[in-house]
Amino acid sequence: MSPNASPIIIERVVGPPNESPEGKFSDLNMMVQYAALERTHQEFRELLESGGFEMAEVVQPGLP
């Protein structure tokens, strides 16, 4: 990756406890099917920072 490159990540973000149940159902599916988890906003930020990147923006898609 060139030094000026910026990754674009398209991923579901799990909301805080007791909010946005859609992400929680996806997280449950990930745990059951793949022994994996969806990530929170803070977890994505920490993951990117550990790789030397910074999170510039999070865009919430609108409902159809």
Side-chain angles (χ1 to χ4, degrees), residues 1 5-14 37-61:
M1 181 181 301
S6 296
I8 296 175
I9 301 170
I10 300 173
E11 187 64 70
R12 180 185 302 266
V13 176
V14 177
L37 298 172
E38 297 284 3
R39 291 185 171 95
T40 64
H41 184 269
Q42 184 61 33
E43 290 169 331
F44 272 113
R45 181 178 302 283
E46 292 169 0
L47 179 65
L48 289 168
E49 287 174 356
S50 73
F53 296 98
E54 67 178 71
M55 185 181 294
E57 181 178 11
V58 175
V59 177
Q60 292 277 358

